[in-house]
Amino acid sequence: MNAPLLSVTDLRTVFDTRAGRVCAVDGVNVEVRRGECLGVVGESGSGKSVTFASVMGLVRSPGRIDGGAIIFDGRDLRTLTPQQMRKVRGRDIAMTMQDALTALNPALTVGEQIGEVLEAHDETLPSSRGARNAAIRERSVEMLSLVGIPSAESRLRQYPHEFSGGMRQRIMIAIALACRPKLLIADEPTTALDVTIQAQVLELITDIRAKLGMSVVLITHDLGVVTEHCDRVMVMYAGQVVEEGPVREVIGSPSHPYTKGLLGSIPRLALRGQKIKPIEGQVPDLIDLPAQCRFYSRCTLRQDVCKSLISMREATPGHSARCVLVGKDRP
Amino acid sequence: MSLGKLIERLIQLIPVLLGVSLIVFVMMTLTPGDPVQIMIGDQAVTPEQEAAMRRDLGLDRPIVERFFVFLGNAVTGDFGTSFYHKRPVSEVIAERLPATIELSLVALIVALLTSIPLGVLAAIRKNSIFDRIATVGSLLGVSLPGFWFGILLLMLFAVHLHLLPVSGRIGYSAEIEPITHLLLIDTLLRGRFDAFLDALSHIILPAITLGLPMTAILMRVTRTSMLEVLRQDYVTFAEAKGLSRRRVIFRHALKNALIPTVSVAAIETGSLLGGNMIVETVFGWPGLGRLVVESIFLRNYPLVQAAVLFYAITYVLLNFVADILYTVLNPRVKL
Ligand SMILES: Nc1ncnc2c1ncn2[C@@H]1O[C@H](COP(=O)(O)OP(=O)(O)O)[C@@H](O)[C@H]1O
Ligand SMILES: [Mg+2]
């Protein structure tokens, strides 16, 4: 049980575009332990969504996974057939999308959209048609109630447009959790919501995580959210992980100049709801990146050694960053 | 919306019908050729007899008066007497209508059954050889003249291969007592499977010819909207749920992608009416389209007038049907 639930090593995901090959994810390692919540932060375009779309096997053309291993619960997902992968998606690993308003199908009722995931994965359902439908219905109502949707029974017949944004986010979470996944990937679950609803949705995810004992990957822009809800955090920049470690350490004493920049340059406890502040300069073009520190052009502390390949270095045990200023080389 | 919108549509119909009547009236009278002369042919008649014929047909009156007489009668449902058949125009049209309806329905069914699967396939295999062939095919389908394609089919399947009949709606030996006047249905209702096959063999080529442009258009519409829908977040989310590929494509994607297809199909059904004239003429199909073509040559004014009005009404109603279907298929639009 001590092996991590998800262990991604040296993942590379590229998009072959007209302008050239975009290296959206370049040598990323991710580890998610059982029962923990991993926060993933970084400016938009840093490769957070593509990393976890790769884990789900949902990278769309012109993108493809170019290398790496994705070990989930002892199996390399990259070696599975599409059929086997379909059994993992929705059942073992579930995902909620960045935008709840567009992630639910406008032409299907909410009941159908919850029911179909149970239908696809739940082997405990009775086999006779009638009993099966009744069981699916019952479970759907249960899930909607779990995420706090009142009078769930009657709302199953409604379409997504009949719900508010916050409600749709909850429905998406209900769908994702319907089969009690071992891992939930929540891609910016709160970005589109207003503050009070944000808090409710996050409480909900944290509650259910405790109840079901699942692991959560929480992708977010909000460092306050990370401080409050995550055990560990991973900072991404231009397709690479630049810092990772326990939340208290990374937020409390960030090692990478980029993380410091995100926290408002001076190490201090992130304020509740603090958003990522823009840092001077721009994220480099991901096509034909030079073999040097990717933050070089924006870094106030840059040196000549930064113009070479930089690997992750350990600051303290379990806390490392991709910067020459950090202690010793990682073992 | 339904009732209010329907009434609105019906009110909109009035100026359309007035305009159409006027245009057809003017065009028919401006077309060279005189119905009386055509009826006389090379028979010997005195000028008095000729004048009497002209008076009988009401053609001695000034054109403006004739137009208003036509309008006045049309409002009461009287479209006059066919010069050629010497029977009420409405009766003649009613006789020919079932053949045209049957042909149009079969063409519509053929078009829907081929265009939707082809469009879906072209979308999910975007840029494949199949997609490219389908693209070229649909371009040809829209641009090939119907009569040319029809004649090509006739030469191949009827003249060279002798697989299908050259013209008509059903063979003499297969004729049956009508019930609905739609032969494919009537033959089955009468339990005459042989006659059904005979009717089917007659209708298949004209239906394909008539449905070809529509098939091409609907395929393009389905392909485009399917590609659009496949890019949507809800399709990715459906995949993230681990649903089967079939369910993702047909239940999640196609259900949304069909909304434009069905609307366009309803509107394009109106253009089948125009195609009917050519196709029915090429295949000797005893329907309204061929009747109208014959009537134009005979300068049979009343019949052409009435038929064109009928086309206009059908066209507007089909547009209305397109609106209703759009609403029904799209839960976001409130009824
Ligand atoms: N369909 C695509 N075509 C080309 N490049 C893409 C595509 N999708 C993503 N990318 C590239 O991947 C990078 C990372 O995207 P993403 O993972 O969505 O960022 P985020 O961290 O905001 O979730 C983007 O900056 C973009 O360059
Ligand atoms: Mg993203």
Side-chain angles (χ1 to χ4, degrees):
Chain A
M1 278 312 262
N2 281 333
L5 178 64
L6 174 70
S7 162
V8 175
T9 39
D10 212 16
L11 178 69
R12 237 177 90 84
T13 303
V14 298
F15 291 85
D16 286 312
T17 66
R18 232 167 267 168
R21 176 165 298 178
V22 177
C23 245
V25 176
D26 193 4
V28 164
N29 294 342
V30 187
E31 193 176 291
V32 182
R33 301 175 193 157
R34 286 170 204 272
E36 83 167 347
C37 178
L38 173 72
V40 180
V41 297
E43 283 165 292
S44 74
S46 54
K48 308 181 297 292
S49 297
V50 174
T51 300
F52 290 95
S54 307
V55 170
M56 295 286 285
L58 290 177
V59 179
R60 296 269 187 97
S61 162
R64 66 195 162 79
I65 297 178
D66 194 33
I70 302 168
I71 314 292
F72 177 82
D73 217 6
R75 285 195 296 178
D76 187 345
L77 299 185
R78 288 195 61 205
T79 63
L80 300 188
T81 63
Q83 234 86 345
Q84 292 171 315
M85 196 58 209
R86 243 171 248 134
K87 285 226 161 106
V88 173
R89 283 199 290 262
R91 192 180 68 174
D92 296 328
I93 311 180
M95 184 172 94
T96 65
M97 309 255 303
Q98 205 161 328
D99 187 355
L101 298 186
T102 56
L104 295 176
N105 194 320
L108 304 179
T109 63
V110 164
E112 177 169 355
Q113 295 188 61
I114 302 181
E116 66 184 354
V117 65
L118 294 166
E119 178 79 53
H121 297 299
D122 195 331
E123 274 130 30
T124 66
L125 290 172
S127 53
S128 90
R129 199 71 234 155
R132 195 177 174 83
N133 286 340
I136 288 176
R137 223 184 134 67
E138 194 179 314
R139 285 284 302 284
S140 306
V141 171
E142 187 192 320
M143 288 315 297
L144 282 188
S145 316
L146 180 70
V147 298
I149 289 184
S151 50
E153 180 91 45
S154 62
R155 306 214 72 176
L156 287 179
R157 276 189 306 275
Q158 294 185 318
Y159 290 90
H161 73 270
E162 298 173 69
F163 293 82
S164 68
M167 287 289 188
R168 282 193 240 180
Q169 187 75 48
R170 285 156 188 267
I171 292 168
M172 194 163 61
I173 294 172
I175 292 171
L177 297 179
C179 296
R180 324 243 139 157
K182 295 174 183 148
L183 174 64
L184 171 70
I185 298 169
D187 194 347
E188 310 206 11
T190 58
T191 309
L193 304 179
D194 69 53
V195 182
T196 46
I197 302 184
Q198 275 183 23
Q200 289 173 11
V201 167
L202 288 165
E203 281 312 315
L204 177 72
I205 292 178
T206 301
D207 272 9
I208 297 175
R209 173 161 75 98
K211 252 183 231 156
L212 303 181
M214 66 178 179
S215 308
V216 173
V217 169
L218 190 62
I219 302 175
T220 178
H221 268 113
D222 188 329
L223 291 162
V225 166
V226 172
T227 322
E228 207 161 313
H229 296 275
C230 300
D231 304 304
R232 285 189 316 120
V233 61
M234 172 175 126
V235 182
M236 287 192 71
Y237 183 77
Q240 293 184 325
V241 178
V242 294
E243 181 158 2
E244 64 161 315
V247 166
R248 209 175 318 139
E249 287 195 39
V250 174
I251 305 283
S253 53
S255 301
H256 197 286
Y258 178 65
T259 316
K260 289 179 189 163
L262 290 182
L263 286 164
S265 60
I266 302 144
R268 62 178 158 125
L269 274 186
L271 301 171
R272 219 234 96 81
Q274 183 181 337
K275 293 274 182 342
I276 287 172
K277 274 203 191 137
I279 303 168
E280 292 287 300
Q282 288 192 335
V283 185
D285 192 350
L286 298 178
I287 299 172
D288 298 328
L289 279 169
Q292 64 176 32
C293 173
R294 299 203 167 165
F295 194 54
Y296 184 81
S297 62
R298 301 167 80 184
C299 185
T300 50
L301 304 171
R302 64 180 172 226
Q303 313 167 5
D304 280 347
V305 287
C306 302
K307 293 193 101 168
S308 59
L309 268 182
I310 313 291
S311 51
M312 290 293 270
R313 291 154 158 264
E314 196 164 67
T316 58
H319 176 191
S320 44
R322 195 180 292 277
C323 180
V324 292
L325 297 175
V326 172
K328 52 185 191 296
D329 279 318
R330 202 183 197 185
Chain B
M1 70 136 208
S2 289
L3 191 62
K5 209 57 184 283
L6 179 62
I7 292 171
E8 200 186 307
R9 278 300 165 104
L10 291 178
I11 293 173
Q12 280 172 10
L13 195 53
I14 294 170
V16 171
L17 295 182
L18 271 176
V20 166
S21 307
L22 185 63
I23 291 170
V24 175
F25 202 89
V26 171
M27 281 176 52
M28 284 304 288
T29 35
L30 287 184
T31 319
D34 172 17
V36 177
Q37 284 301 330
I38 292 171
M39 284 162 91
I40 293 168
D42 43 15
Q43 303 166 58
V45 285
T46 63
E48 289 74 33
Q49 282 172 309
E50 193 187 320
M53 284 174 79
R54 205 170 291 282
R55 202 165 41 245
D56 281 350
L57 301 178
L59 292 173
D60 55 335
R61 303 290 180 73
I63 178 166
V64 176
E65 187 186 327
R66 264 158 54 201
F67 181 64
F68 282 104
V69 169
F70 164 76
L71 278 189
N73 290 338
V75 170
T76 66
D78 172 12
F79 293 97
T81 306
S82 165
F83 292 173
Y84 176 78
H85 304 84
K86 314 278 187 239
R87 284 192 294 141
V89 160
S90 40
E91 205 180 293
V92 179
I93 288 181
E95 256 170 40
R96 295 291 204 108
L97 202 51
T100 291
I101 290 176
E102 183 167 37
L103 179 58
S104 304
L105 281 179
V106 175
L108 177 65
I109 291 169
V110 168
L112 287 174
L113 288 185
T114 51
S115 65
I116 293 172
L118 289 177
V120 170
L121 205 61
I124 59 182
R125 302 224 190 296
K126 191 187 169 205
N127 293 336
S128 65
I129 306 264
F130 172 80
D131 185 27
R132 281 158 215 266
I133 293 174
T135 302
V136 174
S138 68
L139 208 69
L140 288 176
V142 181
S143 46
L144 287 183
F147 68 89
W148 184 82
F149 182 67
I151 290 170
L152 208 72
L153 285 183
L154 264 183
M155 301 238 289
L156 181 61
F157 289 100
V159 180
H160 280 291
L161 299 175
H162 299 289
L163 288 175
L164 296 168
V166 177
S167 90
R169 209 179 160 198
I170 197 161
Y172 286 113
S173 60
E175 274 188 36
I176 48 142
E177 194 65 18
I179 303 168
T180 64
H181 293 273
L182 303 180
L183 293 185
L184 289 177
I185 294 173
D186 288 355
T187 49
L188 287 181
L189 288 179
R190 296 259 182 234
R192 290 281 307 278
F193 196 66
D194 60 316
F196 172 78
L197 288 180
D198 186 74
L200 194 64
S201 71
H202 279 84
I203 205 168
I204 195 75
L205 289 185
I208 289 174
T209 311
L210 182 61
L212 181 75
M214 187 170 182
T215 306
I217 291 168
L218 292 185
M219 199 195 90
R220 294 314 286 172
V221 172
T222 306
R223 177 185 180 273
T224 308
S225 67
M226 194 71 188
L227 282 176
E228 174 66 31
V229 165
L230 286 173
R231 269 202 300 274
Q232 299 298 311
D233 277 357
Y234 55 78
V235 171
T236 309
F237 189 54
E239 279 174 345
K241 287 153 85 174
L243 306 178
S244 68
R245 190 157 167 73
R246 190 169 354 117
R247 190 168 176 94
V248 172
I249 289 171
F250 291 103
R251 192 78 191 143
H252 281 263
L254 188 58
K255 189 157 189 219
N256 287 284
L258 277 186
I259 295 171
T261 306
V262 169
S263 301
V264 173
I267 294 168
E268 282 296 316
T269 304
S271 65
L272 287 184
L273 297 174
N276 266 316
M277 298 192 202
I278 293 160
V279 173
E280 290 183 4
T281 305
V282 170
F283 289 94
W285 189 262
L288 183 58
R290 203 178 71 169
L291 177 67
V292 171
V293 173
E294 289 163 0
S295 301
I296 292 173
F297 283 120
L298 294 171
R299 303 295 181 275
N300 190 352
Y301 299 157
L303 200 138
V304 177
Q305 300 272 11
V308 170
L309 277 188
F310 172 79
Y311 286 153
I313 293 174
T314 312
Y315 202 89
V316 172
L317 289 183
L318 283 170
N319 273 284
F320 182 63
V321 169
D323 277 4
I324 292 181
L325 284 175
Y326 187 82
T327 332
V328 169
L329 286 173
N330 194 341
R332 279 164 296 187
V333 182
K334 285 262 155 50
L335 271 170

